[in-house]
Amino acid sequence: MHDLLPAPAISPLRQRLIEEMNLRRFSHETQRNYLRDVGRLATFLGRRPDTASAEDLRRFQVEQREAGVPVPTLNGIVSALRFFFTHALDRPDLARRLVRLAYPRTLPVVLSRAEVARLLAATTCLKHRAALAVAYGAGLRVAEVAALKVTDIDSARMLIRVERGKGGRYRNALLSADLLALLRQWWRAGRQQGVMLGDGWLFPGQHALKPVSTRQLRRVVVEAARAAGIAKRVGPHTLRHSFATHLLEDGTDIRVIQVLLGHAKLDNTAFYTKVATRTVRTVTSPLDRLGLFEAGESAAGS
């Protein structure tokens, strides 16, 4: 009987916001977050968000800050509301009233090469191992891994087409020979299991017509890290961090890494220089070049 009831109508304002996000090819996860954050403002106001004034926005940010909302979350809300007021309402004057807060970035957790190998070996499911190998071997975000389709693998040019990147940006990612071999192994197994379609998802979920969820991939990484005896706090993004750091340590140009990661700003990529310890160890100190001390000479007074 419920199937005969009409679906709840979407308000014109919500529909306009969805259309603007679709136009820019925002990922499903980004769209969900933006709709949620605009809803926060509507709940705070007790009325439609398009009726907000500059003073309303100031009070909203003060209330969120006093409620203890973390700074990264606050900045995410600002991004959502700026988009809403600029593109859905054509009110850039209100968007400018929203303040992003500066905060110190913590160093990312990075796995050693041996730890990555142990983590991948600890995954017991071929599909999961292939998905995590893509996250590390190509440096993809977890949402990008989940959104890959079989047709995104370009074995002729040895590239992975990422068409649902952050901000809807398109880019080509790295496809190594070993990663391609693993993906072909998964393709054959998936076809035998009846879950792989020629033009379907590279990593199907419980149903072949739906992709694996990012939540499932996060759970897989945590369980694999535990099984591998890795005590670090590990998530899917840890594999992306490790990809960038290991490339940097191997001498890959930082601007090439920026392109592979899909970073809009070089500053975001340069942040990995702070955790590239192998790079630091290869640098010769200017003190050593002075030749004042014998190698292995004991310190005075020891």
Side-chain angles (χ1 to χ4, degrees), residues 35-298:
L35 290 169
R36 179 200 62 206
D37 291 339
V38 173
R40 285 186 193 231
L41 176 62
T43 300
F44 170 79
L45 294 173
R47 61 182 193 275
R48 288 173 29 161
D50 57 334
T51 64
S53 65
E55 176 59 20
D56 288 330
L57 296 182
R58 188 194 69 79
R59 288 191 302 105
F60 172 69
Q61 286 202 276
V62 170
E63 190 270 348
Q64 295 287 298
R65 190 76 177 98
E66 292 179 346
V69 177
V71 172
T73 303
L74 287 173
N75 287 340
I77 295 172
V78 168
S79 296
L81 294 181
R82 281 182 176 176
F83 183 88
F84 172 68
F85 285 111
T86 301
H87 299 288
L89 295 183
D90 194 20
R91 291 291 308 274
D93 55 309
L94 287 178
R96 287 193 292 269
R97 296 300 188 106
L98 293 158
V99 180
R100 290 182 64 87
L101 302 178
Y103 66 99
R105 291 182 62 180
T106 57
L107 291 178
V109 173
V110 173
L111 301 178
S112 68
R113 288 168 170 79
E115 287 173 328
V116 173
R118 280 162 42 205
L119 186 144
L120 293 177
T123 56
T124 57
C125 171
L126 181 57
K127 178 178 76 172
H128 294 159
R129 180 177 300 169
L132 300 192
V134 169
Y136 172 69
L140 268 57
R141 302 175 179 91
V142 63
E144 294 170 345
V145 173
L148 285 176
K149 291 195 170 183
V150 173
T151 52
D152 291 330
I153 306 302
D154 187 343
S155 58
R157 295 193 299 160
M158 295 303 288
L159 297 171
I160 299 176
R161 288 186 292 269
V162 182
E163 298 185 357
R164 300 164 184 83
K166 191 173 183 180
R169 290 187 292 269
Y170 163 90
R171 76 179 190 279
N172 287 321
L174 183 66
L175 176 62
S176 69
D178 284 355
L179 180 56
L180 178 59
L182 178 59
L183 291 176
R184 282 175 169 165
Q185 185 181 355
W186 158 236
W187 162 258
R188 290 191 294 269
R191 294 289 281 182
Q192 291 176 355
Q193 296 169 18
V195 298
M196 293 286 282
L197 304 177
D199 58 350
W201 303 105
L202 183 60
F203 303 113
Q206 293 181 345
H207 192 286
L209 297 180
K210 291 186 178 182
V212 65
S213 69
T214 56
R215 181 177 300 178
Q216 173 67 11
L217 290 179
R218 290 190 181 96
R219 186 162 54 245
V220 167
V221 173
V222 171
E223 291 175 354
R226 185 183 301 116
I230 298 172
K232 297 174 181 176
R233 186 175 181 181
V234 177
H237 220 67
T238 308
L239 296 173
R240 177 173 160 89
H241 291 322
S242 303
F243 164 85
T245 304
H246 295 165
L247 283 182
L248 193 61
E249 291 178 340
D250 287 340
T252 306
D253 187 273
I254 195 168
R255 293 193 178 275
V256 174
I257 299 174
Q258 178 189 5
V259 172
L260 292 175
L261 291 175
H263 281 165
K265 298 180 180 179
L266 184 61
D267 289 350
N268 292 332
T269 314
F271 193 65
Y272 290 108
T273 60
K274 297 184 179 182
V275 290
T277 56
R278 185 176 171 186
T279 302
V280 174
R281 293 196 300 270
T282 61
V283 176
T284 301
S285 167
L287 178 66
D288 291 352
R289 296 191 183 278
L290 296 179
L292 298 178
F293 310 102
E294 293 290 336
E297 181 181 342
S298 299

Side-chain angles (χ1 to χ4, degrees), residues 24-43:
R24 290 158 180 82
R25 304 185 70 182
F26 282 10
S27 68
H28 173 74
E29 190 170 8
T30 298
Q31 293 197 29
R32 182 191 63 198
N33 292 341
Y34 276 28
L35 290 169
R36 179 200 62 206
D37 291 339
V38 173
R40 285 186 193 231
L41 176 62
T43 300

